[in-house]
Amino acid sequence: DGGITQSPKYLFRKEGQNVTLSCEQNLNHDAMYWYRQDPGQGLRLIYYSQIVNDFQKGDIAEGYSVSREKKESFPLTVTSAQKNPTAFYLCASSLRDRNEAFFGQGTRLTVV
Amino acid sequence: AQSVAQPEDQVNVAEGNPLTVKCTYSVSGNPYLFWYVQYPNRGLQFLLKYITGDNLVKGSYGFEAEFNKSQTSFHLKKPSALVSDSALYFCAVSLNNDMRFGAGTRLTVKP
């Protein structure tokens, strides 16, 4: 059953802690993306990756880090440097830019 | 980088009436344009895309969109709205795998 999987669905973090959000796809897609969604602000691009071992910053990369060691995986680390990390995070993948993106179900991160 | 604007935060229509959700874009080059829909606490689902060719694109669930290069617009349309169309709609532009989204438009269809 092909698709893109994000885990966990809900995540709670204490201030000052780093946390890693998982994103895995078995669609053999080249491109992968991380977006942050806040109410009234739509989706803002954090990072994207076109191929393994390469990634580019989006509009709001500060306080986040990513890796792309395998084609299937694109984990996002929310570091303690991110001042306002509470948000809904969405991962997506696409074969190439002319193709539609497939989205995971999202991870809701709450800082407590 | 490219950008997308959705000028309306909210669109309200009566069931059975036509609907339009507006989108304009800014990009250097020939972009790929997309519409997605989001239901509460879920990821986005693809509706339709414009790559090249015919300016009127047909997609899922009876939706269509019209690409207008001179106005840099890609408005989403449906001839007859359903209550079940109520959701959050996003326009997106992609160039060199850099995919950007608009702020979203909440569509409410009232019975």
Side-chain angles (χ1 to χ4, degrees):
Chain A
D1 201 13
I4 180 165
T5 302
Q6 288 185 244
S7 62
K9 189 172 183 179
Y10 298 96
L11 189 57
F12 295 87
R13 188 196 92 176
K14 292 183 178 180
E15 278 193 39
Q17 289 182 336
N18 293 354
V19 63
T20 298
L21 282 59
S22 171
C23 180
E24 303 276 336
Q25 54 98 359
N26 61 3
L27 300 165
N28 200 32
H29 285 172
D30 292 313
M32 296 189 73
Y33 307 83
W34 274 106
Y35 294 91
R36 171 177 170 144
Q37 186 174 20
D38 296 284
Q41 296 199 48
L43 274 66
R44 291 184 290 168
L45 181 64
I46 305 173
Y47 273 98
Y48 69 102
S49 169
Q50 300 183 62
I51 56 172
V52 174
N53 292 323
D54 186 48
F55 46 83
Q56 286 78 42
K57 293 181 178 180
D59 292 329
I60 56 165
E62 185 175 351
Y64 300 96
S65 65
V66 294
S67 62
R68 186 89 186 272
E69 297 176 1
K70 299 185 299 182
K71 189 175 186 177
E72 306 79 33
S73 179
F74 192 42
L76 174 74
T77 297
V78 183
T79 74
S80 57
Q82 170 51 234
K83 298 304 179 187
N84 185 22
T86 294
F88 189 53
Y89 291 87
L90 285 164
C91 180
S93 71
S94 69
L95 188 58
R96 55 186 65 88
D97 60 356
R98 63 168 40 222
N99 297 98
E100 61 270 25
F102 288 73
F103 280 80
Q105 294 301 297
T107 293
R108 188 166 297 281
L109 173 64
T110 303
V111 174
V112 298
Chain B
Q2 57 269 32
S3 64
V4 176
Q6 293 181 242
E8 301 158 316
D9 294 334
Q10 175 92 29
V11 170
N12 298 314
V13 298
E15 188 173 30
N17 283 1
L19 69 87
T20 299
V21 182
K22 295 180 181 178
C23 171
T24 59
Y25 65 91
S26 174
V27 66
S28 299
N30 295 314
Y32 304 122
L33 296 162
F34 303 83
W35 275 102
Y36 292 86
V37 60
Q38 186 182 33
Y39 298 98
N41 296 312
R42 304 296 296 272
L44 277 66
Q45 298 174 28
F46 168 75
L47 280 178
L48 51 80
K49 65 182 177 183
Y50 174 82
I51 303 300
T52 187
D54 194 348
N55 289 342
L56 185 63
V57 178
K58 295 188 182 296
S60 307
Y61 313 117
F63 284 94
E64 56 190 30
E66 187 170 9
F67 172 68
N68 187 317
K69 188 172 184 178
S70 62
Q71 297 184 7
T72 61
S73 67
F74 189 55
H75 301 330
L76 181 70
K77 300 181 180 183
K78 188 174 183 181
S80 179
L82 300 172
V83 172
S84 57
D85 292 331
S86 297
L88 189 56
Y89 289 81
F90 290 95
C91 182
V93 58
S94 184
L95 189 64
N96 299 323
N97 284 313
D98 182 343
M99 184 167 59
R100 306 297 174 113
F101 286 79
T105 297
R106 184 164 300 282
L107 172 67
T108 301
V109 181
K110 298 185 177 179

